[in-house]
Amino acid sequence: MISLYQPGDSILHRIPAGAKLLGLALSALVISTVRPGAAGTLVLLGVASVVLLVTGAGVRGLLLAWWRLRWLILVLGGALVVFVSPAAAVQNTGRVVALLLLAEAMTRTTRTGDLLDVLRRLFRPLRAFGVDPETPALAVSLTITMVPVLAGLLEQVRDAQRARGVRLGVRAAVPLLVLAMKHADDVGDALTARGIGR
Amino acid sequence: MTDAHIAFDDVSCVVDDVPILRSVTARLSARRTAVIGANGSGKSTFARMMNGLRQPTSGSVRVLGLDPAAEGMRVRSRVGFVFTNPEAQILLPTPAEDLALSLGSVPRAMRATRVEQILEQYGLAGRGDQPVSELSGGQRQLLALAAVLCTDPQLVVADEPTTLLDLRNARRIADLLLGLAVPTVIVTHDLDLAARCDEAVLFDDGRLVAIGAPPGVIEMYRRLSA
Amino acid sequence: MTDAHIAFDDVSCVVDDVPILRSVTARLSARRTAVIGANGSGKSTFARMMNGLRQPTSGSVRVLGLDPAAEGMRVRSRVGFVFTNPEAQILLPTPAEDLALSLGSVPRAMRATRVEQILEQYGLAGRGDQPVSELSGGQRQLLALAAVLCTDPQLVVADEPTTLLDLRNARRIADLLLGLAVPTVIVTHDLDLAARCDEAVLFDDGRLVAIGAPPGVIEMYRRLSA
Amino acid sequence: MTPDRRPLSADLARIAVFAALVIVLGTVMVPLPSGVPITGQTLGVMLAGLVLGARRAPLSILLVLALAAIGLPVLAGGRGGLGSFVGPTAGYMLGWVAGAVVIGLIAHSGRFTWWRAATATLIGGILVVYLFGIPVQAAVTGVPLDLTALSTIAFLPGDLIKATLATVLAVALRRAYPRAFPKAVGARAAAGAAGTGAVAAQ
Ligand SMILES: Nc1ncnc2c1ncn2[C@@H]1O[C@H](COP(=O)(O)OP(=O)(O)OP(=O)(O)O)[C@@H](O)[C@H]1O
Ligand SMILES: Nc1ncnc2c1ncn2[C@@H]1O[C@H](COP(=O)(O)OP(=O)(O)OP(=O)(O)O)[C@@H](O)[C@H]1O
Ligand SMILES: O=C(O)CCCC[C@@H]1SC[C@@H]2NC(=O)N[C@@H]21
Ligand SMILES: [Mg+2]
Ligand SMILES: [Mg+2]
């Protein structure tokens, strides 16, 4: 699975992951509670765009980010203009877009591994309840390993249908689920055998 | 040369810029053909092309006179394919259901009786309604084979069908496959099984490097792997 | 008899009212022990009990002087277990991460160097950060083995570790396992591999029916399967 | 109702495999202009609830959300990143977690039957998810609540199909691979500590 991380050495790349995460959470809180007016929202959008530019996304990356949000902007904005008011449309749509841009900046500049470490730290208090903070992090990695395996199983089931000249349609999910559960049980044994996860 | 049931002509296959078959030309006309070679040498890819499960990037494949790429359905209704892992091949929860799936062309009223017959014939009598996951490895491979053979294929391709089996089950499946009246292609790492075929094909790094009587080809494989 | 690293004493195992091991008594003291027998005869169950992956319904199991049922963690930290299917054994997305997981006890700072060493040693140099899904079958089995052996186990149990491999890869893994200095138990359908061990154990229908020098035990298995 | 007592860590792999399943199902999606897509992932949520039960299923969903949070493209159509948690779909994702719990509770409240599974997916997989999703969507987008609620009609046909599918598949899986399910309440008492119980005991 390819991470959405983009290597680089901008300021945002160098700020620790935990700090960025906290920053994003705080911005989300502030933006949605303060509810700046229409003008304020436009300033906010400008700031968010600049932040994204600073990550090294370039003008092209920035435009692309906006382009991906086009439907949200058009439809949400449109609905709000029709049903509420143009000012509300700018305010509310702008708020959502600004937050999405900030989040994209965060995602582009933070390595998966660094976020995993944050996750580990977040889970550290769990130790008091007898949960190993490594376990959630391990589960995350285990899932990443399993996605291509599952895709491979899907292919096996597809091939089996084609080879046998039958089309199961959605019923094909049954053999897929069986293979997936079998795989899970094998992995469970391997985990136990390696003395991990408990 | 016209009676070859399988003809590969300068077939190459490239996946993600990596060549996995390189200019393979082969005419198979023996009743029983073994395909041998190292892990990743292209054996399974070669076998899968016989059934249109994989398509060549260039070159032409003819199977029973048909082009699997263009006439996939017709080829597949004539070619039976057995995979290594029976688990991946059994599509429905119980043996009876799975066999009935293969018998789509048999009138519904007769299907149940036919299923019973087949179960009996493959030593699975009484297990028709048991969850497939509770069958033993050998029983599962027998079921997978039964589900393929009961459609009366005109050609059978098997990709390492005995790998997970013990002596008796491996022999049983091997005897079944080698005893078929229709042409049979068997991909295998079991060189004793390969030796029992009429012809052998050796793959190395995507190339067909030898084709001929099994003893010589097996000897060459041993030398290559030394 | 006190130097047996594995001792089964009248061990039975019943799952859903079906007996899968019946009163097995065995003392293994050879450096390399092969376990052979038909599909479903109980070999894997026997092997799994050696590190507490399965528990007996009755009887006692001692491994390296410990009881796997009661001291699971301690036994598992001493016993390395290798499965047939490398896919299920590799737990993390890349070889480097997977090996690092095994090296939990090594100080963080030294781990990366150690990982590089191990990759080198198992012919996987330079592949540390490649997704596991891009490794070949043989490379995956090597990685799985490396992840187990790098923890310096005092006993190694392998359940059909070479089944899915070609001649060269199978030989490589077999040589690795047979060359270990610690006691090794190998479940296998490959009788050539079994013949290379110092002792062999034969299972039939949940019963241990023979234990002794490999040639005799293999001969008996052949007769049983006839 | 006795919840399954196996240690959670013994089921780490199952929890992960369902997370992976939800991720793979994300490739089946229809983007809608509202920013909330129709997605195959709700089918995964329902299956997780039915198979894993009330304790493990939500962990599976949380795993997917954690992966999304650390920037992997695991949501419908390959989206991911923290944006998803501040956008209009945030509530639905929260609803998946709660829904998985409810599905598990209902489906495993007695012997596993198709009607229990169906009830579970309808209530937990649709009602609960919407209950969380709609208010958050309305709050984030500023569209009035009633209008937002009305717009979810677009999801209803798909979600009803997915509920049916999840029910049928879970019942079939139970026949094909009985081991996948936590033992039913009655059956467990009969089986006692033997067999699979012994494996779990350690
Ligand atoms: N879908 C795919 N995508 C990328 N590479 C593939 C794919 N399928 C096969 N390959 C590669 O093609 C090569 C040939 O694969 P193939 O399965 O034909 O080998 P094989 O001879 O059957 O090996 P084995 O003995 O291990 O079954 C391998 O290197 C494999 O990694
Ligand atoms: N979890 C389980 N539930 C029910 N039956 C099981 C389970 N695991 C194993 N069995 C049964 O126990 C018996 C012994 O299985 P085991 O895996 O030990 O055989 P084996 O000798 O390793 O066979 P193979 O050569 O096919 O690997 C088989 O009949 C099998 O069906
Ligand atoms: O991918 C996401 O960010 C979450 C998407 C949430 C989609 C909701 S869940 C309930 C309803 N049914 C659908 O098919 N889509 C919506
Ligand atoms: Mg192959
Ligand atoms: Mg076994």
Side-chain angles (χ1 to χ4, degrees):
Chain A
M1 207 168 5
I2 301 136
S3 160
L4 302 174
Y5 170 74
Q6 301 289 327
D9 62 348
S10 69
I11 314 176
L12 269 129
H13 281 92
R14 276 172 276 148
I15 300 176
K20 274 185 282 189
L21 209 58
L22 194 68
L24 182 67
L26 283 179
S27 327
L29 195 70
V30 170
I31 294 175
S32 41
T33 44
V34 171
R35 303 199 161 237
T41 306
L42 289 177
V43 173
L44 196 63
L45 281 171
V47 171
S49 299
V50 169
V51 170
L52 191 57
L53 269 179
V54 167
T55 67
V59 178
R60 198 167 158 271
L62 179 63
L63 289 178
L64 206 69
W66 277 88
W67 180 245
R68 274 200 293 269
L69 297 173
R70 65 193 182 280
W71 290 113
L72 181 80
I73 297 168
L74 281 177
V75 174
L76 180 58
L80 286 168
V81 169
V82 174
F83 294 109
V84 190
S85 71
V90 173
Q91 240 177 328
N92 288 315
T93 316
R95 206 154 35 93
V96 175
V97 171
L99 270 177
L100 290 176
L101 291 177
L102 285 177
E104 167 136 353
M106 157 103 204
T107 305
R108 285 180 67 98
T109 57
T110 317
R111 257 184 248 283
T112 303
D114 294 343
L115 280 164
L116 261 181
D117 281 337
V118 175
L119 207 65
R120 265 191 208 103
R121 257 178 282 146
L122 283 175
F123 280 117
R124 214 168 277 164
L126 285 180
R127 195 169 279 161
F129 302 95
V131 176
D132 184 352
E134 284 297 322
T135 308
L138 174 68
V140 166
S141 305
L142 204 55
T143 308
I144 299 177
T145 317
M146 278 183 174
V147 170
V149 174
L150 220 56
L153 296 179
L154 190 69
E155 195 154 322
Q156 281 185 27
V157 172
R158 208 177 287 150
D159 277 356
Q161 291 181 74
R162 285 206 284 153
R164 290 180 63 179
V166 294
R167 284 226 184 89
L168 288 178
V170 293
R171 267 194 306 167
V174 178
L176 176 67
L177 284 172
V178 171
L179 289 172
M181 292 310 291
K182 177 82 182 11
H183 180 70
D185 289 351
D186 289 348
V187 171
D189 280 349
L191 275 165
T192 311
R194 279 172 76 175
I196 297 161
R198 61 185 65 206
Chain B
M1 282 295 192
T2 45
D3 64 343
H5 42 262
I6 292 168
F8 276 61
D9 202 16
D10 196 19
V11 170
S12 293
C13 180
V14 179
V15 177
D16 299 337
D17 292 335
V18 182
I20 56 184
L21 281 189
R22 310 166 189 245
S23 184
V24 170
T25 297
R27 269 157 209 289
L28 308 185
S29 51
R31 180 158 70 89
R32 303 168 305 185
T33 308
V35 180
I36 60 176
N39 286 135
S41 58
K43 304 180 298 296
S44 295
T45 310
F46 180 61
R48 278 159 185 259
M49 282 188 176
M50 298 178 187
N51 193 0
L53 280 178
R54 214 174 240 296
Q55 256 113 52
T57 315
S58 68
S60 99
V61 178
R62 309 289 298 181
V63 175
L64 302 171
L66 301 168
D67 175 2
E71 302 163 289
M73 275 312 270
R74 289 180 69 193
V75 170
R76 277 180 217 122
S77 67
R78 288 169 173 74
V79 178
F81 197 101
V82 185
F83 296 85
T84 311
N85 181 3
E87 236 145 86
Q89 185 164 194
I90 301 173
L91 293 168
L92 296 185
T94 62
E97 288 170 88
D98 197 68
L99 287 173
L101 181 67
S102 282
L103 298 173
S105 57
V106 175
R108 237 166 225 288
M110 290 167 57
R111 229 177 269 172
T113 337
R114 190 78 192 87
V115 165
E116 283 308 318
Q117 279 175 358
I118 299 170
L119 286 170
E120 178 84 42
Q121 186 183 344
Y122 287 85
L124 297 168
R127 303 200 175 268
D129 299 321
Q130 204 173 327
V132 168
S133 60
E134 289 180 3
L135 297 181
S136 79
Q139 289 169 337
R140 263 181 247 170
Q141 191 56 284
L142 280 166
L143 171 62
L145 202 59
V148 167
L149 297 184
C150 72
T151 61
D152 290 320
Q154 292 166 31
L155 172 77
V156 173
V157 184
D159 192 354
E160 306 188 37
T162 60
T163 323
L164 303 168
L165 303 179
D166 64 21
L167 223 50
R168 183 184 297 164
N169 283 319
R171 198 185 304 133
R172 185 169 188 174
I173 301 282
D175 289 348
L176 248 164
L177 283 171
L178 293 172
L180 294 176
V182 295
T184 307
V185 178
I186 307 177
V187 178
T188 186
H189 287 300
D190 178 350
L191 301 181
D192 296 331
L193 176 57
R196 293 175 66 193
C197 292
D198 306 309
E199 190 167 60
V201 178
L202 173 60
F203 274 85
D204 185 47
D205 195 20
R207 286 199 183 77
L208 191 159
V209 294
I211 181 164
V217 176
I218 292 173
E219 185 44 40
M220 183 161 172
Y221 175 42
R222 285 197 195 276
R223 252 180 297 130
L224 269 180
S225 319
Chain C
M1 280 296 190
T2 44
D3 65 343
H5 41 263
I6 293 169
F8 276 61
D9 201 16
D10 196 19
V11 170
S12 294
C13 180
V14 179
V15 177
D16 297 337
D17 293 334
V18 183
I20 56 182
L21 282 188
R22 309 167 191 245
S23 184
V24 170
T25 297
R27 267 157 212 288
L28 307 185
S29 51
R31 180 158 70 91
R32 303 168 306 184
T33 308
V35 179
I36 59 176
N39 287 133
S41 58
K43 303 181 298 296
S44 295
T45 310
F46 180 61
R48 278 158 186 256
M49 282 187 177
M50 297 177 188
N51 80 343
L53 276 177
R54 213 176 240 297
Q55 258 112 50
T57 315
S58 68
S60 99
V61 177
R62 307 290 299 183
V63 174
L64 301 171
L66 301 167
D67 174 1
E71 303 165 286
M73 272 315 266
R74 288 181 67 192
V75 169
R76 278 181 214 120
S77 67
R78 289 168 173 75
V79 178
F81 201 103
V82 185
F83 297 82
T84 311
N85 181 4
E87 199 140 295
Q89 274 179 96
I90 302 173
L91 302 171
L92 298 189
T94 62
E97 288 172 88
D98 196 66
L99 289 173
L101 181 67
S102 282
L103 297 173
S105 57
V106 175
R108 238 169 223 285
M110 290 168 56
R111 232 178 266 171
T113 336
R114 189 79 192 86
V115 164
E116 284 307 319
Q117 279 174 359
I118 300 169
L119 286 169
E120 178 85 42
Q121 186 183 343
Y122 286 84
L124 296 169
R127 302 198 177 270
D129 297 321
Q130 205 172 328
V132 168
S133 52
E134 289 177 10
L135 298 182
S136 78
Q139 289 169 336
R140 273 183 230 181
Q141 191 57 287
L142 278 166
L143 172 62
L145 203 58
V148 168
L149 296 185
C150 73
T151 61
D152 290 321
Q154 292 165 31
L155 172 78
V156 173
V157 183
D159 193 353
E160 304 189 37
T162 60
T163 317
L164 301 171
L165 303 179
D166 65 17
L167 223 50
R168 183 183 296 164
N169 284 319
R171 198 186 303 134
R172 184 165 191 178
I173 302 279
D175 289 349
L176 250 163
L177 283 171
L178 293 173
L180 294 176
V182 295
T184 308
V185 178
I186 306 177
V187 177
T188 186
H189 287 299
D190 177 351
L191 300 181
D192 296 331
L193 175 56
R196 292 175 66 193
C197 292
D198 306 308
E199 189 167 61
V201 177
L202 173 60
F203 274 86
D204 184 46
D205 194 21
R207 285 198 184 78
L208 191 159
V209 294
I211 180 164
V217 176
I218 292 173
E219 184 44 39
M220 184 163 172
Y221 175 42
R222 285 196 195 277
R223 252 180 298 129
L224 268 180
S225 318
Chain D
M1 193 203 69
T2 348
D4 196 358
R5 285 276 164 238
R6 274 162 64 93
L8 284 176
S9 57
D11 282 328
L12 201 58
R14 284 191 177 174
I15 292 168
V17 94
F18 270 95
L21 187 72
V22 172
I23 293 169
V24 170
L25 281 169
T27 52
V28 184
M29 63 95 79
V30 182
L32 292 184
S34 65
V36 183
I38 297 178
T39 161
Q41 296 191 306
T42 48
L43 174 62
V45 174
M46 293 176 191
L47 282 170
L50 291 179
V51 179
L52 294 180
R55 255 159 42 97
R56 295 165 185 76
L59 297 178
S60 235
I61 309 305
L62 282 170
L63 260 181
V64 179
L65 301 189
L67 282 159
I70 62 177
L72 293 172
V74 296
L75 295 176
R79 293 171 310 117
L82 282 164
S84 327
F85 295 90
V86 289
T89 64
Y92 292 101
M93 296 194 293
L94 213 66
W96 289 354
V97 180
V101 175
V102 174
I103 294 172
L105 283 176
I106 299 176
H108 296 278
S109 61
R111 212 168 65 81
F112 188 89
T113 53
W114 71 264
W115 56 265
R116 258 205 191 88
T119 316
T121 49
L122 288 176
I123 297 179
I126 300 182
L127 197 67
V128 173
V129 173
Y130 288 21
L131 232 44
F132 280 78
I134 295 170
V136 175
Q137 189 186 351
V140 170
T141 58
V143 174
L145 193 64
D146 47 355
L147 269 177
T148 309
L150 200 65
S151 73
T152 57
I153 284 182
F155 304 133
L156 212 50
D159 279 344
L160 287 174
I161 292 173
K162 284 176 260 176
T164 316
L165 215 59
T167 304
V168 172
L169 291 175
V171 170
L173 177 65
R174 201 177 150 72
R175 280 201 301 133
Y177 199 80
R179 254 178 291 161
F181 289 74
K183 279 240 164 82
V185 183
R188 193 209 320 272
T196 49
V199 179
Q202 74 82 39

